[in-house]
Amino acid sequence: MRPLSFHPDELRVLLLRSKIATLDELKQVLGTPVDVTVFRKLKPLDYLTSYSHRGRYYTLREIARFDDHGLWSQADAWFSRFGTLLATAEGFVHRSPRGYFADELAPRLHVPVQDALHQLTQQGRVSRQIVSGRYLYTAIDPTVQRRQLRARRSVEFLPTAVDAAVLDVSPEEAKAAILLFYSLLDEQQRRLYAGLESLKLGRGGDRQLAHFLDLDPHTVARGRQQLLAEDVEVDRARKAGAGRKRVEKKRPK
């Protein structure tokens, strides 16, 4: 009796049509209950496994349209140019100019990453340093790691940057821009701006903003309290003649 013959083209047709498929769906189209048979036929097709959903979904590399970060999604399943979740997290950490905290990397990859980062640390594929009381994951290479730590610690001095990981400029440039903007405000606006940024930071925000903007912490607290109480002198910040000019309606002749 001749052994059954399975054609990989059948898998390619399915994936081109549906974009992604599970192992059970692939076995069904081949008409085999054997996992090894599916993987043997997938191999010459240059397939990818999702790094989300515990690698449940499969696609072809020719189908994926990776974004600038090397990621692609289809029906909530995420695929990476790097391959597995471990390889993807490792690639992101090594290429980051400032390393990553776990809660910064998770939204970038759209999946929980704490366990993956722990495994990478255990395997010696990424390094872990304590910065601002939290674990920062950095590259293993000492030169890259020093550069990441230097950049991260510089960014930590920017309390007004809600997500320092997405800064498109250097921390020094960001600080200069913030201080220039701050210098253009009047006394009340400066106090209110400091109070607003303190509210974003939460506990300890008054002290951080006071240090960053060279203010008394009580001034920051006052601005924060004014905002919460809606106790703001609106007219005071307006100069005579400022704003849109009044337009008189023409009376019909």
Side-chain angles (χ1 to χ4, degrees), residues 2 9 11-12 32 36 43 58-59 62 68-69 82 91 93 95-96 98 107 127 150 181 191 211 227 231 233 249:
R2 294 180 58 188
D9 285 347
L11 296 183
R12 185 170 184 273
T32 176
V36 175
K43 188 174 181 179
Y58 299 83
T59 191
E62 65 180 287
D68 293 340
H69 302 293
F82 298 100
V93 168
R95 287 162 176 75
S96 170
R98 290 176 280 274
S127 182
R150 188 163 54 245
F181 166 75
R191 186 169 63 248
H211 176 74
L227 288 172
D231 179 20
E233 299 178 34
K249 293 183 179 180

PDB file of all heavy atoms in Angstrom, residues 2 9 11-12 32 36 43 58-59 62 68-69 82 91 93 95-96 98 107 127 150 181 191 211 227 231 233 249:
ATOM      1  N   ARG A   2       0.640   2.146  -0.934  1.00  0.00           N
ATOM      2  CA  ARG A   2       1.462   3.353  -1.052  1.00  0.00           C
ATOM      3  C   ARG A   2       1.142   4.310   0.087  1.00  0.00           C
ATOM      4  O   ARG A   2      -0.021   4.483   0.483  1.00  0.00           O
ATOM      5  CB  ARG A   2       1.190   4.053  -2.388  1.00  0.00           C
ATOM      6  CG  ARG A   2       1.627   3.240  -3.606  1.00  0.00           C
ATOM      7  CD  ARG A   2       1.316   3.993  -4.870  1.00  0.00           C
ATOM      8  NE  ARG A   2       1.973   5.284  -4.890  1.00  0.00           N
ATOM      9  CZ  ARG A   2       1.759   6.223  -5.815  1.00  0.00           C
ATOM     10  NH1 ARG A   2       0.886   5.991  -6.783  1.00  0.00           N
ATOM     11  NH2 ARG A   2       2.412   7.374  -5.764  1.00  0.00           N
ATOM     12  N   ASP A   9       1.372  22.798  -1.279  1.00  0.00           N
ATOM     13  CA  ASP A   9       0.625  23.849  -1.966  1.00  0.00           C
ATOM     14  C   ASP A   9      -0.765  24.051  -1.374  1.00  0.00           C
ATOM     15  O   ASP A   9      -1.327  25.138  -1.409  1.00  0.00           O
ATOM     16  CB  ASP A   9       0.498  23.531  -3.456  1.00  0.00           C
ATOM     17  CG  ASP A   9       1.798  23.780  -4.210  1.00  0.00           C
ATOM     18  OD1 ASP A   9       2.685  24.420  -3.613  1.00  0.00           O
ATOM     19  OD2 ASP A   9       1.926  23.333  -5.357  1.00  0.00           O
ATOM     20  N   LEU A  11      -1.489  23.944   1.774  1.00  0.00           N
ATOM     21  CA  LEU A  11      -1.319  24.829   2.922  1.00  0.00           C
ATOM     22  C   LEU A  11      -1.148  26.275   2.465  1.00  0.00           C
ATOM     23  O   LEU A  11      -1.713  27.204   3.056  1.00  0.00           O
ATOM     24  CB  LEU A  11      -0.098  24.405   3.753  1.00  0.00           C
ATOM     25  CG  LEU A  11      -0.154  23.036   4.428  1.00  0.00           C
ATOM     26  CD1 LEU A  11       1.101  22.816   5.258  1.00  0.00           C
ATOM     27  CD2 LEU A  11      -1.394  22.914   5.301  1.00  0.00           C
ATOM     28  N   ARG A  12      -0.381  26.459   1.420  1.00  0.00           N
ATOM     29  CA  ARG A  12      -0.141  27.818   0.912  1.00  0.00           C
ATOM     30  C   ARG A  12      -1.435  28.459   0.424  1.00  0.00           C
ATOM     31  O   ARG A  12      -1.694  29.633   0.698  1.00  0.00           O
ATOM     32  CB  ARG A  12       0.888  27.786  -0.213  1.00  0.00           C
ATOM     33  CG  ARG A  12       1.289  29.165  -0.723  1.00  0.00           C
ATOM     34  CD  ARG A  12       2.490  29.083  -1.652  1.00  0.00           C
ATOM     35  NE  ARG A  12       2.890  30.419  -2.045  1.00  0.00           N
ATOM     36  CZ  ARG A  12       2.371  31.080  -3.085  1.00  0.00           C
ATOM     37  NH1 ARG A  12       1.426  30.504  -3.830  1.00  0.00           N
ATOM     38  NH2 ARG A  12       2.781  32.294  -3.384  1.00  0.00           N
ATOM     39  N   THR A  32      -4.630  15.127   7.606  1.00  0.00           N
ATOM     40  CA  THR A  32      -3.765  14.301   8.447  1.00  0.00           C
ATOM     41  C   THR A  32      -3.932  14.702   9.913  1.00  0.00           C
ATOM     42  O   THR A  32      -4.111  15.887  10.214  1.00  0.00           O
ATOM     43  CB  THR A  32      -2.280  14.463   8.052  1.00  0.00           C
ATOM     44  OG1 THR A  32      -1.462  13.696   8.962  1.00  0.00           O
ATOM     45  CG2 THR A  32      -1.844  15.907   8.117  1.00  0.00           C
ATOM     46  N   VAL A  36       3.646  16.462  12.917  1.00  0.00           N
ATOM     47  CA  VAL A  36       4.937  16.472  12.225  1.00  0.00           C
ATOM     48  C   VAL A  36       4.749  16.607  10.722  1.00  0.00           C
ATOM     49  O   VAL A  36       5.533  17.279  10.038  1.00  0.00           O
ATOM     50  CB  VAL A  36       5.732  15.186  12.556  1.00  0.00           C
ATOM     51  CG1 VAL A  36       7.018  15.136  11.734  1.00  0.00           C
ATOM     52  CG2 VAL A  36       6.053  15.132  14.037  1.00  0.00           C
ATOM     53  N   LYS A  43       7.644  23.849   6.318  1.00  0.00           N
ATOM     54  CA  LYS A  43       9.042  24.285   6.290  1.00  0.00           C
ATOM     55  C   LYS A  43       9.478  24.910   4.972  1.00  0.00           C
ATOM     56  O   LYS A  43      10.052  26.009   4.957  1.00  0.00           O
ATOM     57  CB  LYS A  43       9.957  23.123   6.669  1.00  0.00           C
ATOM     58  CG  LYS A  43      11.403  23.554   6.854  1.00  0.00           C
ATOM     59  CD  LYS A  43      12.248  22.396   7.371  1.00  0.00           C
ATOM     60  CE  LYS A  43      13.689  22.842   7.578  1.00  0.00           C
ATOM     61  NZ  LYS A  43      14.530  21.730   8.101  1.00  0.00           N
ATOM     62  N   TYR A  58      -0.426  30.495  12.564  1.00  0.00           N
ATOM     63  CA  TYR A  58       0.634  30.370  11.570  1.00  0.00           C
ATOM     64  C   TYR A  58       0.299  31.243  10.358  1.00  0.00           C
ATOM     65  O   TYR A  58      -0.864  31.450  10.026  1.00  0.00           O
ATOM     66  CB  TYR A  58       0.786  28.912  11.133  1.00  0.00           C
ATOM     67  CG  TYR A  58       1.163  27.979  12.259  1.00  0.00           C
ATOM     68  CD1 TYR A  58       0.181  27.475  13.115  1.00  0.00           C
ATOM     69  CD2 TYR A  58       2.484  27.643  12.485  1.00  0.00           C
ATOM     70  CE1 TYR A  58       0.518  26.638  14.166  1.00  0.00           C
ATOM     71  CE2 TYR A  58       2.831  26.806  13.534  1.00  0.00           C
ATOM     72  CZ  TYR A  58       1.839  26.307  14.375  1.00  0.00           C
ATOM     73  OH  TYR A  58       2.179  25.493  15.430  1.00  0.00           O
ATOM     74  N   THR A  59       1.348  31.738   9.715  1.00  0.00           N
ATOM     75  CA  THR A  59       1.186  32.500   8.482  1.00  0.00           C
ATOM     76  C   THR A  59       2.428  32.302   7.629  1.00  0.00           C
ATOM     77  O   THR A  59       3.374  31.616   8.042  1.00  0.00           O
ATOM     78  CB  THR A  59       0.955  33.995   8.770  1.00  0.00           C
ATOM     79  OG1 THR A  59       0.560  34.656   7.568  1.00  0.00           O
ATOM     80  CG2 THR A  59       2.226  34.660   9.295  1.00  0.00           C
ATOM     81  N   GLU A  62       5.650  35.736   3.325  1.00  0.00           N
ATOM     82  CA  GLU A  62       5.272  36.556   2.168  1.00  0.00           C
ATOM     83  C   GLU A  62       3.963  37.312   2.403  1.00  0.00           C
ATOM     84  O   GLU A  62       3.680  38.303   1.738  1.00  0.00           O
ATOM     85  CB  GLU A  62       5.139  35.684   0.920  1.00  0.00           C
ATOM     86  CG  GLU A  62       4.018  34.664   0.987  1.00  0.00           C
ATOM     87  CD  GLU A  62       3.925  33.817  -0.257  1.00  0.00           C
ATOM     88  OE1 GLU A  62       3.471  34.339  -1.300  1.00  0.00           O
ATOM     89  OE2 GLU A  62       4.304  32.618  -0.187  1.00  0.00           O
ATOM     90  N   ASP A  68       7.319  49.473  10.904  1.00  0.00           N
ATOM     91  CA  ASP A  68       8.698  49.935  11.092  1.00  0.00           C
ATOM     92  C   ASP A  68       9.387  49.249  12.268  1.00  0.00           C
ATOM     93  O   ASP A  68      10.618  49.249  12.358  1.00  0.00           O
ATOM     94  CB  ASP A  68       8.720  51.450  11.313  1.00  0.00           C
ATOM     95  CG  ASP A  68       8.296  52.218  10.070  1.00  0.00           C
ATOM     96  OD1 ASP A  68       8.369  51.627   8.969  1.00  0.00           O
ATOM     97  OD2 ASP A  68       7.888  53.385  10.195  1.00  0.00           O
ATOM     98  N   HIS A  69       8.599  48.682  13.181  1.00  0.00           N
ATOM     99  CA  HIS A  69       9.170  47.995  14.345  1.00  0.00           C
ATOM    100  C   HIS A  69       9.306  46.493  14.118  1.00  0.00           C
ATOM    101  O   HIS A  69       9.745  45.764  15.004  1.00  0.00           O
ATOM    102  CB  HIS A  69       8.299  48.243  15.579  1.00  0.00           C
ATOM    103  CG  HIS A  69       8.139  49.691  15.926  1.00  0.00           C
ATOM    104  ND1 HIS A  69       9.187  50.467  16.369  1.00  0.00           N
ATOM    105  CD2 HIS A  69       7.053  50.512  15.873  1.00  0.00           C
ATOM    106  CE1 HIS A  69       8.755  51.701  16.586  1.00  0.00           C
ATOM    107  NE2 HIS A  69       7.483  51.751  16.284  1.00  0.00           N
ATOM    108  N   PHE A  82      11.230  39.144  14.212  1.00  0.00           N
ATOM    109  CA  PHE A  82      12.238  38.473  15.047  1.00  0.00           C
ATOM    110  C   PHE A  82      11.873  37.011  15.322  1.00  0.00           C
ATOM    111  O   PHE A  82      12.733  36.215  15.659  1.00  0.00           O
ATOM    112  CB  PHE A  82      12.379  39.204  16.382  1.00  0.00           C
ATOM    113  CG  PHE A  82      12.847  40.617  16.255  1.00  0.00           C
ATOM    114  CD1 PHE A  82      11.952  41.663  16.313  1.00  0.00           C
ATOM    115  CD2 PHE A  82      14.192  40.918  16.070  1.00  0.00           C
ATOM    116  CE1 PHE A  82      12.368  42.977  16.193  1.00  0.00           C
ATOM    117  CE2 PHE A  82      14.625  42.221  15.953  1.00  0.00           C
ATOM    118  CZ  PHE A  82      13.722  43.261  16.010  1.00  0.00           C
ATOM    119  N   GLY A  91      15.074  41.626  20.888  1.00  0.00           N
ATOM    120  CA  GLY A  91      15.399  42.564  19.821  1.00  0.00           C
ATOM    121  C   GLY A  91      15.012  43.982  20.173  1.00  0.00           C
ATOM    122  O   GLY A  91      15.767  44.923  19.921  1.00  0.00           O
ATOM    123  N   VAL A  93      14.650  45.298  23.210  1.00  0.00           N
ATOM    124  CA  VAL A  93      15.511  45.791  24.288  1.00  0.00           C
ATOM    125  C   VAL A  93      16.871  46.202  23.747  1.00  0.00           C
ATOM    126  O   VAL A  93      17.396  47.274  24.073  1.00  0.00           O
ATOM    127  CB  VAL A  93      15.666  44.721  25.394  1.00  0.00           C
ATOM    128  CG1 VAL A  93      16.784  45.107  26.364  1.00  0.00           C
ATOM    129  CG2 VAL A  93      14.354  44.555  26.158  1.00  0.00           C
ATOM    130  N   ARG A  95      17.708  47.154  20.805  1.00  0.00           N
ATOM    131  CA  ARG A  95      17.665  48.270  19.864  1.00  0.00           C
ATOM    132  C   ARG A  95      17.133  49.561  20.481  1.00  0.00           C
ATOM    133  O   ARG A  95      17.157  50.606  19.835  1.00  0.00           O
ATOM    134  CB  ARG A  95      16.812  47.888  18.645  1.00  0.00           C
ATOM    135  CG  ARG A  95      17.509  46.892  17.731  1.00  0.00           C
ATOM    136  CD  ARG A  95      16.529  46.191  16.807  1.00  0.00           C
ATOM    137  NE  ARG A  95      17.206  45.302  15.869  1.00  0.00           N
ATOM    138  CZ  ARG A  95      17.722  44.117  16.208  1.00  0.00           C
ATOM    139  NH1 ARG A  95      17.623  43.692  17.447  1.00  0.00           N
ATOM    140  NH2 ARG A  95      18.335  43.374  15.297  1.00  0.00           N
ATOM    141  N   SER A  96      16.669  49.495  21.705  1.00  0.00           N
ATOM    142  CA  SER A  96      16.121  50.687  22.353  1.00  0.00           C
ATOM    143  C   SER A  96      17.238  51.630  22.782  1.00  0.00           C
ATOM    144  O   SER A  96      18.238  51.190  23.347  1.00  0.00           O
ATOM    145  CB  SER A  96      15.306  50.289  23.584  1.00  0.00           C
ATOM    146  OG  SER A  96      14.961  51.430  24.342  1.00  0.00           O
ATOM    147  N   ARG A  98      17.114  53.657  25.201  1.00  0.00           N
ATOM    148  CA  ARG A  98      17.076  53.854  26.648  1.00  0.00           C
ATOM    149  C   ARG A  98      16.680  52.597  27.411  1.00  0.00           C
ATOM    150  O   ARG A  98      16.361  52.665  28.593  1.00  0.00           O
ATOM    151  CB  ARG A  98      16.095  54.983  26.994  1.00  0.00           C
ATOM    152  CG  ARG A  98      16.577  56.363  26.585  1.00  0.00           C
ATOM    153  CD  ARG A  98      15.533  57.418  26.850  1.00  0.00           C
ATOM    154  NE  ARG A  98      14.509  57.458  25.827  1.00  0.00           N
ATOM    155  CZ  ARG A  98      14.608  58.152  24.691  1.00  0.00           C
ATOM    156  NH1 ARG A  98      15.695  58.858  24.458  1.00  0.00           N
ATOM    157  NH2 ARG A  98      13.634  58.144  23.805  1.00  0.00           N
ATOM    158  N   PRO A 107       2.909  47.453  26.139  1.00  0.00           N
ATOM    159  CA  PRO A 107       2.020  48.066  25.143  1.00  0.00           C
ATOM    160  C   PRO A 107       2.639  48.139  23.759  1.00  0.00           C
ATOM    161  O   PRO A 107       1.918  48.183  22.759  1.00  0.00           O
ATOM    162  CB  PRO A 107       1.750  49.467  25.718  1.00  0.00           C
ATOM    163  CG  PRO A 107       2.848  49.722  26.679  1.00  0.00           C
ATOM    164  CD  PRO A 107       3.232  48.386  27.233  1.00  0.00           C
ATOM    165  N   SER A 127      20.140  42.279  30.093  1.00  0.00           N
ATOM    166  CA  SER A 127      20.599  42.623  31.436  1.00  0.00           C
ATOM    167  C   SER A 127      19.493  43.367  32.169  1.00  0.00           C
ATOM    168  O   SER A 127      18.574  43.918  31.549  1.00  0.00           O
ATOM    169  CB  SER A 127      21.853  43.496  31.348  1.00  0.00           C
ATOM    170  OG  SER A 127      22.333  43.809  32.649  1.00  0.00           O
ATOM    171  N   ARG A 150      22.807  55.722  30.572  1.00  0.00           N
ATOM    172  CA  ARG A 150      23.072  57.166  30.605  1.00  0.00           C
ATOM    173  C   ARG A 150      21.877  57.939  30.043  1.00  0.00           C
ATOM    174  O   ARG A 150      21.439  58.943  30.616  1.00  0.00           O
ATOM    175  CB  ARG A 150      24.349  57.468  29.819  1.00  0.00           C
ATOM    176  CG  ARG A 150      24.831  58.905  29.949  1.00  0.00           C
ATOM    177  CD  ARG A 150      26.288  59.019  29.501  1.00  0.00           C
ATOM    178  NE  ARG A 150      26.494  58.491  28.163  1.00  0.00           N
ATOM    179  CZ  ARG A 150      27.236  57.419  27.892  1.00  0.00           C
ATOM    180  NH1 ARG A 150      27.836  56.758  28.873  1.00  0.00           N
ATOM    181  NH2 ARG A 150      27.392  57.005  26.642  1.00  0.00           N
ATOM    182  N   PHE A 181       9.401  77.118  26.828  1.00  0.00           N
ATOM    183  CA  PHE A 181       7.944  77.317  26.900  1.00  0.00           C
ATOM    184  C   PHE A 181       7.560  77.887  28.263  1.00  0.00           C
ATOM    185  O   PHE A 181       6.774  78.841  28.352  1.00  0.00           O
ATOM    186  CB  PHE A 181       7.236  75.990  26.668  1.00  0.00           C
ATOM    187  CG  PHE A 181       5.776  76.007  27.043  1.00  0.00           C
ATOM    188  CD1 PHE A 181       4.840  76.651  26.237  1.00  0.00           C
ATOM    189  CD2 PHE A 181       5.341  75.392  28.215  1.00  0.00           C
ATOM    190  CE1 PHE A 181       3.499  76.677  26.588  1.00  0.00           C
ATOM    191  CE2 PHE A 181       3.996  75.423  28.569  1.00  0.00           C
ATOM    192  CZ  PHE A 181       3.078  76.065  27.751  1.00  0.00           C
ATOM    193  N   ARG A 191       2.662  78.779  37.618  1.00  0.00           N
ATOM    194  CA  ARG A 191       2.217  78.036  38.795  1.00  0.00           C
ATOM    195  C   ARG A 191       1.205  76.952  38.405  1.00  0.00           C
ATOM    196  O   ARG A 191       1.266  75.820  38.874  1.00  0.00           O
ATOM    197  CB  ARG A 191       1.612  79.014  39.805  1.00  0.00           C
ATOM    198  CG  ARG A 191       1.233  78.388  41.141  1.00  0.00           C
ATOM    199  CD  ARG A 191       0.897  79.459  42.153  1.00  0.00           C
ATOM    200  NE  ARG A 191      -0.279  80.253  41.761  1.00  0.00           N
ATOM    201  CZ  ARG A 191      -0.237  81.546  41.408  1.00  0.00           C
ATOM    202  NH1 ARG A 191       0.926  82.186  41.381  1.00  0.00           N
ATOM    203  NH2 ARG A 191      -1.338  82.200  41.086  1.00  0.00           N
ATOM    204  N   HIS A 211      11.924  70.915  41.727  1.00  0.00           N
ATOM    205  CA  HIS A 211      13.351  70.766  41.415  1.00  0.00           C
ATOM    206  C   HIS A 211      13.612  71.049  39.938  1.00  0.00           C
ATOM    207  O   HIS A 211      14.577  71.742  39.583  1.00  0.00           O
ATOM    208  CB  HIS A 211      13.806  69.346  41.767  1.00  0.00           C
ATOM    209  CG  HIS A 211      15.231  69.062  41.402  1.00  0.00           C
ATOM    210  ND1 HIS A 211      16.299  69.573  42.098  1.00  0.00           N
ATOM    211  CD2 HIS A 211      15.763  68.326  40.382  1.00  0.00           C
ATOM    212  CE1 HIS A 211      17.425  69.160  41.542  1.00  0.00           C
ATOM    213  NE2 HIS A 211      17.125  68.410  40.496  1.00  0.00           N
ATOM    214  N   LEU A 227      -6.025  74.473  40.540  1.00  0.00           N
ATOM    215  CA  LEU A 227      -6.661  73.746  39.445  1.00  0.00           C
ATOM    216  C   LEU A 227      -7.784  72.847  39.952  1.00  0.00           C
ATOM    217  O   LEU A 227      -8.872  72.803  39.373  1.00  0.00           O
ATOM    218  CB  LEU A 227      -5.621  72.905  38.699  1.00  0.00           C
ATOM    219  CG  LEU A 227      -4.620  73.674  37.833  1.00  0.00           C
ATOM    220  CD1 LEU A 227      -3.539  72.737  37.326  1.00  0.00           C
ATOM    221  CD2 LEU A 227      -5.316  74.361  36.672  1.00  0.00           C
ATOM    222  N   ASP A 231      -9.957  77.544  41.004  1.00  0.00           N
ATOM    223  CA  ASP A 231      -9.753  78.899  41.522  1.00  0.00           C
ATOM    224  C   ASP A 231      -8.694  79.598  40.670  1.00  0.00           C
ATOM    225  O   ASP A 231      -7.529  79.717  41.048  1.00  0.00           O
ATOM    226  CB  ASP A 231      -9.304  78.819  42.992  1.00  0.00           C
ATOM    227  CG  ASP A 231      -9.045  80.196  43.588  1.00  0.00           C
ATOM    228  OD1 ASP A 231      -9.550  81.192  43.025  1.00  0.00           O
ATOM    229  OD2 ASP A 231      -8.330  80.266  44.613  1.00  0.00           O
ATOM    230  N   GLU A 233      -7.776  82.951  38.067  1.00  0.00           N
ATOM    231  CA  GLU A 233      -8.124  84.296  37.608  1.00  0.00           C
ATOM    232  C   GLU A 233      -7.956  84.338  36.093  1.00  0.00           C
ATOM    233  O   GLU A 233      -6.884  84.611  35.583  1.00  0.00           O
ATOM    234  CB  GLU A 233      -7.231  85.337  38.285  1.00  0.00           C
ATOM    235  CG  GLU A 233      -7.362  85.357  39.802  1.00  0.00           C
ATOM    236  CD  GLU A 233      -6.410  86.369  40.429  1.00  0.00           C
ATOM    237  OE1 GLU A 233      -6.167  87.417  39.806  1.00  0.00           O
ATOM    238  OE2 GLU A 233      -5.904  86.094  41.526  1.00  0.00           O
ATOM    239  N   LYS A 249     -21.434  93.909  13.313  1.00  0.00           N
ATOM    240  CA  LYS A 249     -22.305  93.469  12.221  1.00  0.00           C
ATOM    241  C   LYS A 249     -22.797  94.694  11.454  1.00  0.00           C
ATOM    242  O   LYS A 249     -23.176  95.705  12.047  1.00  0.00           O
ATOM    243  CB  LYS A 249     -23.494  92.704  12.769  1.00  0.00           C
ATOM    244  CG  LYS A 249     -23.106  91.362  13.422  1.00  0.00           C
ATOM    245  CD  LYS A 249     -24.353  90.632  13.878  1.00  0.00           C
ATOM    246  CE  LYS A 249     -23.985  89.315  14.492  1.00  0.00           C
ATOM    247  NZ  LYS A 249     -25.175  88.569  14.959  1.00  0.00           N
TER     248      LYS A 249
END
